[in-house]
Amino acid sequence: MVVSIIAIVGISVSLVFIYEEEVVNLIIKELNKHLKTEVRIDPKNIDLTIIKSFPDCALEFKELTAMDAKEFKSDDTLLYAKRLSLAFNIKDLFNKNYTIKKIELENAQCHLKVDKKGNANYFVWKSDSGSTGSDSLKFALEKISLKNVDVSLKDSKHKIKLNTSVKELNFKGKFIEDNYTLISDGSAYVNLFQVEKIKYVQNKNVKFDIEFDVSGSTYTIRKSETSINYTQLVSNGAFVIKDSLQSLDINFNGKNLDIASTLSLLPEKFQNQIHDYESEGEFYASGECHYKNGQPFILKSDFGIKKATITYKEKNTTLTNVNLLGNITVNENRSNLTLKNISANLNNNNFTGDMELTNFKDPYLKLKLAANTKLEELIAFYPIDTLENLSGSINMNAEIEGLISEMKTNAYSPSIKASGNAVITDLKATFKQTDKHINIPEGKLELNNRHLNVYGLQLIRGNSDVMLVGELPNFLSYLFDPKEPLTIVAHVTSDKIELEDFLFGAGKSSENASINIPNNLDFNVSVDVAHLTFGKFVADNIKGNMLLKNQKVALKDLSLNVTDGEVKLNIFADASGDNLKVSADCDLNKLNIQKLFSQLNNFGQATIKDDNLKGFVTANIDFSGTWDKKLKVDLNSINLTSSILIERGELIGFKPLESLAKYIDVNELKHIKFSTLQSAVEIKNRVITIPRTSIKSNAINMELWGTHGFDNVIDYHIQLLLSEIIAKRPKKNKDFDEELSLVENDPENRRSVFIVMTGPIDNPTIKYDRKGAKEKIKQDIKQEKQNLKQLLKEEFGFFKKDSIKVKETQKANQNFQIQVGEEKPKANKPLQPKKKEEEDDDF
């Protein structure tokens, strides 16, 4: 027996070698007669073999490419195959008539297309030649096998898409006969099966074992067992296939279904979470689907869950007594999903509800939900990635109806119906990556006419507490799409707020903390805050309005008590870019300067600090500047204009003034007191500009003006009265004495000396300011001209059209010499202010 088999094999192999060239040429010649496509293959890759296909003989093609049918509009690749085999009986070698019985396709890619007119790129066999071929070559297929074949189908006429990877697929039957039994089994991975815009299967493993009775183009199901991700369906019915699917009428029932395997049919992005759950209980599904060429796909199905349990394996938390009744309908006029009598228990939690979703292309939602939940138990069953801990309870009832698209884009639409209420009790939440806690001890929410109204919602975050009363008018938009803006129109009251609790983003390290205002947060809030802190800054009795939109904050008509005084201000801050841009105008009323400098960290400079200052400031300020998101200021951006009044001021231990010890007793300069100081300060381009300012103090009276750079380089101009210098001068200085020996018209000893201080503030250069003196003389001459003009106007009516007003001043015309040296001013006889003299008719 073994010898016979070896002999048969040997003879067969010999025949293959003998007839190989003849067989190959004949079969290729016959194939070319009947093919309507271009086939590209290297002749070296065509072999006649019997070893792989024994006991049959096979013509094997390697690295074969077939193009679209010539009648199709494009010329793309229809098929690429690493291996294509056509098998026939070895006896055909003798009679030279070849009947192909088996086709094997392996490691291939197949791209099937149907255009909008119904033309297909896979009609590659000439129909006028007959289905069985010529006398020399016939097809009497009994088996077709596919292995590792990627198939894509794009049917533009019927709007069908299919992308699948066939692992193994077999068809058996006497395909040449009009009536036969077709047996098929196999497995595949379906990336996508879509009809119109509805994705019925996506990223699923599919296995099937089916038998059909075939009568012409009609296939009647004798047996059909299909599993999709372990969810098994048993089917019966029939379908018709000609050039493409013509009709489909199928009934199906679920078999051995469970919750986990059914949930596995959901989109891939949910798979990781689904794998963490297991279920027990009855899940059932039955239905029917219908299709006719040129008409929409029809699907009807009833399904449900009875007394099921779903367990989250990681924490062994079980949802019990899960029940629902479901129905899905898809047809030409309607697509609808209904879930009724939904109920489930989770320890002390219970949930009930109903849902209906109509028109999948533009879904219309009806939702009714009631829940009594303990949040710590809920999060143990369904953890939220961003939360570390959650506790408290919510008791809620809600009904929502309307187009989901309108809920996202136009929550104010009158077609949206929404109502319900929720009571929050002792809610506590801790988010990951931050040590700030949120606590809502109590609060009531009421959904009415699409608005979510908030009553007595107390929010505690960190050390801050806030009471919120108001509404969230577009809450539905935010609920269905967290990227939508969350608008809050409310009145906020608080006993205490620490701004760090709300301004800084996630991150437990304060070094990495940065301003983080959500870009979808929209506030219109009136505030009444008893006490607020931000770093060292402290404010009380804050009242006003806060507007927030697109990461831009406006504080309008805000008043607050700061450092023993009162502030009224309007602020605009833009945090939408990489930096925080701030502009403000504010009125300060009697603020304690020392406390202000201390709380604001001396404004980031060290030249004059809180321990150098005392007094109370009243001012009007216009300000703008830029900070980065970690609140580091850009000094180049600071712009400020102001009018300032300082009362009961004190300047203590200010080192730059001690440089005037050449003129004034240094002890008097260590602690200067003045009753008032009024000026207008400007900051621009990192330079503080001080206009001419009169300073009347216990140490000395002077006028000061000049600039002070942020790099602590100064250019101060000081005007001192000679009489005071002489009185308070510590000792003789020959050079200085000569500078002061000037001849002036000054009958009342009110002549001045001008000093300029330039350079670094810790080591300035001090010298006589001749430029300042000349400017003073020029101003005096101008003033004398105005005095003369005023006198002529009053006495003789000259210059009546001149509206210039001048002061009524008059100077004596006498020369005198100031001597500085041994002669000292008389003691206990301070200089008196100038008395108004009678007008002299001589001029």
Side-chain angles (χ1 to χ4, degrees):
M1 183 69 179
V2 174
V3 175
S4 299
I5 294 173
I6 294 173
I8 293 172
V9 172
I11 294 171
S12 300
V13 172
S14 299
L15 288 172
V16 167
F17 279 109
I18 294 171
Y19 290 101
E20 180 177 10
E21 184 175 355
E22 179 182 344
V23 171
V24 169
N25 290 334
L26 189 150
I27 292 178
I28 290 177
K29 179 180 178 181
E30 292 297 324
L31 287 174
N32 285 331
K33 288 181 181 180
H34 302 293
L35 288 174
K36 296 190 295 182
T37 182
E38 178 188 356
V39 177
R40 300 172 183 174
I41 186 171
D42 190 330
K44 295 179 181 179
N45 290 332
I46 303 175
D47 294 316
L48 186 65
T49 178
I50 193 172
I51 302 299
K52 295 181 180 179
S53 57
F54 189 83
D56 293 322
C57 188
L59 185 64
E60 187 174 88
F61 302 88
K62 298 178 180 178
E63 304 291 343
L64 177 145
T65 300
M67 309 306 291
D68 289 341
K70 293 180 179 179
E71 297 174 355
F72 198 69
K73 62 182 180 180
S74 68
D75 189 26
D76 291 335
T77 300
L78 168 64
L79 173 70
Y80 169 78
K82 287 281 189 180
R83 176 177 174 270
L84 173 63
S85 175
L86 306 178
F88 53 89
N89 196 302
I90 195 170
K91 294 186 297 182
D92 294 347
L93 293 174
F94 296 100
N95 55 36
K96 297 183 179 180
N97 291 320
Y98 303 100
T99 301
I100 306 300
K101 294 183 178 181
K102 299 177 183 178
I103 295 178
E104 293 182 1
L105 185 65
E106 187 175 348
N107 297 325
Q109 298 175 4
C110 186
H111 305 283
L112 309 178
K113 301 175 187 176
V114 179
D115 64 20
K116 293 181 179 180
K117 295 181 180 180
N119 301 314
N121 72 334
Y122 49 84
F123 293 153
V124 298
W125 194 259
K126 293 180 181 179
S127 58
D128 60 353
S129 64
S131 62
T132 59
S134 67
D135 292 335
S136 299
L137 179 65
K138 297 179 181 179
F139 281 87
L141 292 175
E142 296 178 358
K143 184 177 181 180
I144 300 174
S145 297
L146 283 72
K147 187 175 182 181
N148 297 329
V149 178
D150 293 335
V151 179
S152 67
L153 168 64
K154 184 177 181 181
D155 187 337
S156 299
K157 182 177 180 179
H158 307 107
K159 298 180 180 179
I160 297 174
K161 288 183 181 179
L162 172 67
N163 289 300
T164 182
S165 296
V166 177
K167 298 177 182 177
E168 186 172 2
L169 178 60
N170 300 301
F171 297 96
K172 298 178 182 178
K174 295 185 177 296
F175 304 126
I176 193 172
E177 299 180 2
D178 291 334
N179 300 303
Y180 64 95
T181 298
L182 171 63
I183 300 173
S184 179
D185 62 76
S187 62
Y189 184 81
V190 180
N191 302 91
L192 176 67
F193 173 60
Q194 176 177 322
V195 180
E196 293 187 338
K197 293 185 179 181
I198 302 173
K199 298 177 181 179
Y200 290 95
V201 181
Q202 189 174 16
N203 300 326
K204 302 294 182 289
N205 288 300
V206 177
K207 292 184 178 181
F208 57 88
D209 184 2
I210 55 179
E211 293 183 11
F212 301 105
D213 285 333
V214 182
S215 177
S217 58
T218 301
Y219 296 74
T220 303
I221 299 174
R222 295 177 56 183
K223 171 188 176 184
S224 176
E225 293 184 358
T226 304
S227 65
I228 304 176
N229 278 18
Y230 308 105
T231 299
Q232 296 183 350
L233 294 177
V234 178
S235 306
N236 60 74
F239 56 91
V240 176
I241 294 181
K242 293 183 180 179
D243 295 334
S244 60
L245 181 64
Q246 300 298 304
S247 65
L248 175 71
D249 295 285
I250 301 292
N251 296 314
F252 60 87
N253 284 283
K255 181 181 179 182
N256 300 325
L257 302 182
D258 62 70
I259 305 299
S261 59
T262 303
L263 291 176
S264 71
L265 300 180
L266 293 172
E268 191 71 20
K269 63 182 180 179
F270 298 110
Q271 294 303 306
N272 292 334
Q273 294 178 343
I274 292 170
H275 291 160
D276 295 332
Y277 294 84
E278 60 184 9
S279 63
E280 295 181 358
E282 181 183 352
F283 177 78
Y284 63 89
S286 63
E288 56 187 272
C289 53
H290 306 277
Y291 172 74
K292 288 186 179 181
N293 191 4
Q295 297 181 12
F297 187 80
I298 296 173
L299 172 67
K300 296 179 181 178
S301 177
D302 294 316
F303 57 92
I305 300 174
K306 292 183 179 179
K307 296 181 179 179
T309 61
I310 304 174
T311 301
Y312 179 51
K313 293 182 288 186
E314 184 173 334
K315 293 192 176 181
N316 196 31
T317 307
T318 302
L319 188 67
T320 61
N321 199 26
V322 180
N323 299 276
L324 67 84
L325 297 174
N327 172 271
I328 185 171
T329 301
V330 179
N331 57 39
E332 180 178 5
N333 301 315
R334 187 184 185 197
S335 54
N336 178 265
L337 171 65
T338 302
L339 302 177
K340 293 184 177 180
N341 301 330
I342 304 170
S343 64
N345 297 323
L346 180 63
N347 295 330
N348 296 316
N349 300 266
N350 57 75
F351 309 91
T352 60
D354 300 294
M355 188 198 80
E356 183 176 0
L357 199 63
T358 306
N359 185 13
F360 296 162
K361 294 181 181 178
D362 188 12
Y364 186 90
L365 174 68
K366 290 183 180 180
L367 176 65
K368 184 178 181 180
L369 178 65
N372 187 358
T373 66
K374 298 291 184 182
L375 297 175
E376 58 268 35
E377 297 176 356
L378 182 62
I379 198 173
F381 176 77
Y382 188 81
I384 300 173
D385 290 340
T386 57
L387 284 174
E388 190 169 290
N389 291 300
L390 181 67
S391 63
S393 64
I394 298 179
N395 198 343
M396 65 173 293
N397 292 276
E399 293 185 26
I400 300 173
E401 181 177 346
L403 287 169
I404 292 180
S405 59
E406 285 195 344
M407 293 177 188
K408 291 182 178 181
T409 60
N410 183 16
Y412 298 98
S413 171
S415 63
I416 299 175
K417 301 175 184 178
S419 62
N421 60 76
V423 177
I424 301 173
T425 305
D426 201 22
L427 186 152
K428 296 179 181 178
T430 303
F431 292 88
K432 294 179 180 178
Q433 305 302 320
T434 179
D435 55 358
K436 302 293 184 182
H437 307 279
I438 291 180
N439 182 15
I440 302 178
E442 59 182 355
K444 182 179 180 181
L445 310 177
E446 185 176 282
L447 191 60
N448 187 17
N449 293 327
R450 305 173 304 280
H451 293 261
L452 181 65
N453 297 309
V454 181
Y455 302 98
L457 182 70
Q458 184 182 7
L459 171 66
I460 299 174
R461 180 174 172 84
N463 296 318
S464 305
D465 68 275
V466 174
M467 182 68 74
L468 181 68
V469 177
E471 64 178 11
L472 285 69
N474 66 335
F475 176 72
L476 288 182
S477 303
Y478 181 77
L479 179 65
F480 287 95
D481 186 358
K483 295 180 182 179
E484 287 292 313
L486 176 61
T487 300
I488 300 175
V489 181
H491 178 64
V492 174
T493 59
S494 174
D495 291 329
K496 180 182 180 182
I497 290 179
E498 292 184 4
L499 276 182
E500 293 90 341
D501 292 333
F502 299 98
L503 283 181
F504 290 106
K508 295 184 178 182
S509 173
S510 59
E511 295 180 359
N512 297 321
S514 61
I515 294 290
N516 182 26
I517 301 176
N519 58 9
N520 64 336
L521 200 57
D522 189 347
F523 272 5
N524 186 348
V525 175
S526 63
V527 297
D528 187 350
V529 179
H531 185 72
L532 178 143
T533 63
F534 183 41
K536 295 180 181 179
F537 179 75
V538 179
D540 297 307
N541 195 28
I542 303 167
K543 299 180 186 295
N545 296 287
M546 182 176 75
L547 307 175
L548 168 63
K549 191 176 183 67
N550 299 325
Q551 295 182 299
K552 298 177 177 66
V553 183
L555 300 178
K556 184 179 179 183
D557 299 328
L558 193 70
S559 65
L560 59 155
N561 295 331
V562 177
T563 63
D564 305 331
E566 182 181 10
V567 176
K568 294 182 179 180
L569 72 161
N570 292 282
I571 297 178
F572 178 78
D574 185 354
S576 61
D578 296 332
N579 297 312
L580 177 66
K581 298 178 180 179
V582 179
S583 59
D585 67 84
C586 48
D587 294 319
L588 315 180
N589 186 22
K590 299 184 183 300
L591 270 61
N592 186 310
I593 298 175
Q594 188 175 54
K595 291 182 179 180
L596 184 65
F597 269 63
S598 175
Q599 291 183 13
L600 297 180
N601 294 315
N602 295 306
F603 298 93
Q605 53 83 45
T607 301
I608 183 167
K609 301 171 69 173
D610 56 290
D611 54 2
N612 299 126
L613 292 168
K614 285 186 180 181
F616 297 86
V617 60
T618 298
N620 176 264
I621 299 172
D622 287 324
F623 171 85
S624 65
T626 301
W627 282 257
D628 65 17
K629 292 299 180 71
K630 293 184 179 181
L631 293 184
K632 182 179 179 181
V633 66
D634 176 8
L635 295 176
N636 293 309
S637 70
I638 299 298
N639 284 283
L640 179 145
T641 59
S642 65
S643 61
I644 300 174
L645 172 66
I646 299 176
E647 300 175 282
R648 291 180 285 165
E650 298 183 34
L651 194 57
I652 306 167
F654 187 47
K655 295 294 184 182
L657 279 184
E658 295 182 8
S659 301
L660 293 176
K662 178 179 179 181
Y663 314 100
I664 307 296
D665 188 348
V666 70
N667 291 322
E668 296 187 15
L669 296 174
K670 288 183 176 180
H671 193 160
I672 298 176
K673 299 179 181 180
F674 50 90
S675 58
T676 60
L677 184 151
Q678 191 164 0
S679 186
V681 176
E682 178 181 297
I683 301 176
K684 190 174 183 179
N685 298 327
R686 300 172 62 98
V687 174
I688 303 170
T689 301
I690 305 169
R692 185 180 290 270
T693 301
S694 296
I695 302 174
K696 297 180 180 181
S697 69
N698 63 312
I700 191 170
N701 297 327
M702 69 175 71
E703 290 195 4
L704 170 71
W705 67 96
T707 62
H708 188 137
F710 283 8
D711 56 359
N712 280 329
V713 174
I714 63 172
D715 182 11
Y716 288 163
H717 297 263
I718 301 171
Q719 178 181 345
L720 301 170
L721 289 179
L722 288 176
S723 57
E724 294 196 357
I725 293 175
I726 294 168
K728 301 177 179 291
R729 192 164 154 270
K731 62 181 180 179
K732 290 193 245 183
N733 182 298
K734 183 178 180 181
D735 295 335
F736 186 50
D737 292 346
E738 292 176 356
E739 286 182 356
L740 297 184
S741 298
L742 302 176
V743 177
E744 296 283 351
N745 295 329
D746 187 12
E748 296 180 343
N749 291 329
R750 304 301 294 172
R751 291 298 86 200
S752 302
V753 65
F754 295 86
I755 299 169
V756 61
M757 300 174 62
T758 58
I761 195 168
D762 54 353
N763 186 26
T765 300
I766 303 175
K767 60 184 179 181
Y768 180 69
D769 187 6
R770 298 184 182 276
K771 182 179 178 181
K774 290 178 181 179
E775 184 66 27
K776 180 63 167 61
I777 294 171
K778 186 186 296 183
Q779 291 296 325
D780 287 347
I781 294 172
K782 184 177 180 180
Q783 185 64 46
E784 290 295 342
K785 289 180 180 180
Q786 293 296 341
N787 291 341
L788 178 60
K789 193 174 184 179
Q790 180 69 16
L791 182 60
L792 291 172
K793 179 180 178 181
E794 292 176 356
E795 294 296 329
F796 299 102
F798 293 172
F799 314 111
K800 288 186 176 181
K801 294 183 179 181
D802 195 334
S803 59
I804 297 176
K805 295 182 179 180
V806 297
K807 294 182 180 179
E808 296 182 0
T809 60
Q810 190 172 14
K811 294 176 66 72
N813 186 19
Q814 59 180 357
N815 296 330
F816 62 94
Q817 181 79 21
I818 298 176
Q819 297 291 341
V820 178
E822 296 299 327
E823 187 176 345
K824 297 183 185 261
K826 296 179 181 180
N828 301 321
K829 191 176 181 180
L831 295 173
Q832 300 298 320
K834 181 178 179 180
K835 296 180 180 179
K836 184 177 181 182
E837 297 180 355
E838 294 182 359
E839 295 181 353
D840 189 353
D841 290 338
D842 271 336
F843 58 88

